[in-house]
Amino acid sequence: MNRFCLVFLAFCCTVSCVMLDLSVSDADAVDSRVSFECVWPDISARLGCDSVYVLMNRSTDGVRYLYASASGEPIPDTTAIFGQYVAMGYSLNTADYLIEERLDFLSSSLTYIRDFTAQTLTVPMETVEALRGNSGLDFNASYKFIAIPTQIYSSSSLVTVSDVADNNFRFNFTPVLTNLKLRLVLRAEPGVSITSVSGEISGVPASINIKDASTSADDLARIIFPLARSTDGTCTADLLVTGLYPSESAELLTGPGILRLCVCASFSGSEKILHPALNLRDLIISKKVMVPAVQEGRYMTSSRSLELAVTPELLVGQESFISTGGGDGVGQWFDSDVLIDVEL
């Protein structure tokens, strides 16, 4: 059995690269020169990332390499023992995600490229409360809030390091996360003024596999975001998501697949924060947002670009301010001062 000597080369202040050089004691081992080319979809994608990583794991015996560089700099040419490797390149903003497998990849034979998972970070509660107008209300508290601020790109393949041919490997990066455009219409009756709108959606996975973009329904959270509202009442938000799982039932207003709005509005000198809730199950399923992944029990989005147009239109009526609800065109309003609960 081959015995490997692990030699760690530290970061150099002039070249942003980390390299693990593994050499075997067998006389027939050959180191071959290898080079990498990483290609992003466009210049904005590259500028949105601060780092790029390349991983190689030899299929026969687990010889491993890890290279890292700033996203705007090429990974320097290096050497590798000849053979067939599983290889993956990925690029991201390192401050936005936690990837524990990168720390273990070189030291643990039980960590594989297929295991690399980007874990999102939680949103501070002060940020959440500011988007909610400091209402202090939470109707889906079992789901934490996560931040998905920047895209992740990856590319993987089987490569062969040859001892007789050039070894130039190209990684054509594609997005891991999904761009989700959310659209709904929120109108106001005459005399009612809507000052701001934000939303939160539950059922978004808190982590995602970097290699195949698959997720698990056992790891769900929420995202919170502002909505831009036009003069005709159309509200939109462009979001990055790891996925979006539906509710188990269209009758539920808690759990995954729930859109909860926070509407700051006023009428006749009275100001209120209103919280309509909509179950997106039918919309998520009809749009086939989630489809089975290769690994059993895991799912991925059907496309890296999706649009959800939420219906029906919502109407903020005067009765939201002067009655117990039910006549304002919205079947599910929650008021930060008086709780109004009518099933949608």
Side-chain angles (χ1 to χ4, degrees):
M1 179 179 294
N2 292 336
R3 296 167 54 192
F4 303 107
C5 174
L6 306 185
V7 179
F8 291 91
L9 300 183
F11 267 105
C12 174
C13 60
T14 58
V15 180
S16 179
C17 179
V18 178
M19 184 166 54
L20 179 70
D21 186 13
L22 297 90
S23 56
V24 299
S25 57
D26 295 348
D28 60 352
V30 176
D31 278 356
S32 299
R33 176 66 58 179
V34 296
S35 62
F36 305 103
E37 181 185 6
C38 297
V39 181
W40 285 261
D42 51 51
I43 186 63
S44 63
R46 182 180 66 77
L47 294 176
C49 304
D50 64 12
S51 299
V52 59
Y53 297 88
V54 171
L55 315 166
M56 294 175 61
N57 182 17
R58 194 159 71 166
S59 308
T60 54
D61 50 23
V63 172
R64 294 165 179 230
Y65 298 89
L66 167 63
Y67 309 95
S69 177
S71 62
E73 300 176 5
I75 295 177
D77 290 357
T78 184
T79 60
I81 303 169
F82 75 89
Q84 188 177 66
Y85 291 80
V86 176
M88 180 175 74
Y90 70 91
S91 183
L92 78 171
N93 239 5
T94 52
D96 294 336
Y97 303 96
L98 176 64
I99 303 175
E100 295 179 345
E101 291 78 13
R102 182 169 57 84
L103 305 176
D104 302 329
F105 180 68
L106 298 178
S107 59
S108 173
S109 61
L110 300 178
T111 301
Y112 297 93
I113 289 176
R114 65 174 179 266
D115 300 325
F116 271 61
T117 300
Q119 300 179 37
T120 58
L121 306 180
T122 57
V123 178
M125 281 311 298
E126 52 266 29
T127 302
V128 172
E129 285 304 317
L131 284 169
R132 286 176 170 170
N134 296 305
S135 66
L137 296 177
D138 193 342
F139 303 97
N140 215 356
S142 60
Y143 292 86
K144 66 182 179 181
F145 285 101
I146 59 172
I148 310 179
T150 54
Q151 182 63 265
I152 303 171
Y153 299 90
S154 74
S155 175
S156 62
S157 63
L158 284 175
V159 301
T160 299
V161 176
S162 171
D163 56 346
V164 295
D166 292 338
N167 300 296
N168 303 313
F169 303 125
R170 179 185 175 105
F171 294 98
N172 293 308
F173 287 144
T174 57
V176 175
L177 306 175
T178 296
N179 289 285
L180 175 65
K181 186 176 183 65
L182 182 70
R183 181 166 53 86
L184 59 93
V185 178
L186 178 65
R187 303 190 190 279
E189 281 190 351
V192 176
S193 176
I194 297 175
T195 55
S196 67
V197 185
S198 65
E200 61 183 70
I201 295 180
S202 55
V204 178
S207 60
I208 187 167
N209 185 280
I210 296 176
K211 186 173 184 288
D212 65 5
S214 67
T215 60
S216 170
D218 297 328
D219 184 31
L220 301 182
R222 289 180 285 178
I223 57 173
I224 189 167
F225 46 89
L227 283 137
R229 184 172 179 270
S230 63
T231 54
D232 67 355
T234 301
C235 298
T236 58
D238 292 309
L239 310 169
L240 277 176
V241 297
T242 48
L244 181 58
Y245 284 78
S247 172
E248 294 182 359
S249 168
E251 305 301 318
L252 297 175
L253 293 176
T254 59
I258 305 300
L259 170 64
R260 174 79 60 174
L261 300 180
C262 177
V263 182
C264 297
S266 62
F267 170 69
S268 190
S270 175
E271 297 182 353
K272 288 189 176 183
I273 301 176
L274 306 169
H275 300 269
L278 298 101
N279 186 309
L280 303 181
R281 173 183 168 83
D282 293 343
L283 183 58
I284 293 171
I285 293 176
S286 66
K287 288 289 186 178
K288 298 182 179 179
V289 173
M290 304 301 293
V291 295
V294 174
Q295 184 178 341
E296 185 177 357
R298 294 181 66 84
Y299 294 83
M300 60 190 297
T301 57
S302 58
S303 171
R304 294 298 180 270
S305 180
L306 294 167
E307 180 173 347
L308 295 182
V310 179
T311 56
E313 294 184 2
L314 303 181
L315 177 68
V316 182
Q318 298 178 10
E319 293 185 10
S320 297
F321 296 85
I322 59 177
S323 73
T324 57
D328 53 8
V330 177
Q332 177 66 26
W333 283 117
F334 285 99
D335 185 316
S336 60
D337 297 320
V338 178
L339 188 61
I340 306 169
D341 188 353
V342 181
E343 285 297 324
L344 182 65

